Amino acid sequence: MKDLTITKKRQKIEIATLTVCFLIAFAFNVYAIIEYKAPAKELATSIFYVLTFAIALYVAWSFIRILFYLVKNTNKK
């Protein structure tokens, strides 16, 4: 069985992508708190929802990237 190695460059790209997804989710949370005039403590109490949304964004983005690479590789052949 072939070993799978993940390069340092790929690790940095994936960490950066996950960080951007978290920042987007956090920005949505801040917007919702301002829009609905919720107390500021909601930033701390809803962090698990923010993490869940960030992971959902990351999975969706990864799925889109996989589809893009599959289509790109299919067109090469």
Side-chain angles (χ1 to χ4, degrees), residues 24-43:
I24 290 170
F26 190 77
F28 275 126
N29 188 33
V30 170
Y31 171 75
I33 289 171
I34 292 170
E35 183 68 24
Y36 294 110
K37 297 176 180 74
K41 71 177 183 176
E42 289 289 325
L43 282 174

Side-chain angles (χ1 to χ4, degrees), residues 17-33 42-43 46-58:
T17 304
L18 186 57
T19 303
V20 168
C21 290
F22 177 78
L23 291 175
I24 290 170
F26 190 77
F28 275 126
N29 188 33
V30 170
Y31 171 75
I33 289 171
E42 289 289 325
L43 282 174
S46 62
I47 194 70
F48 293 112
Y49 296 116
V50 171
L51 287 172
T52 303
F53 186 59
I55 291 170
L57 280 175
Y58 180 76

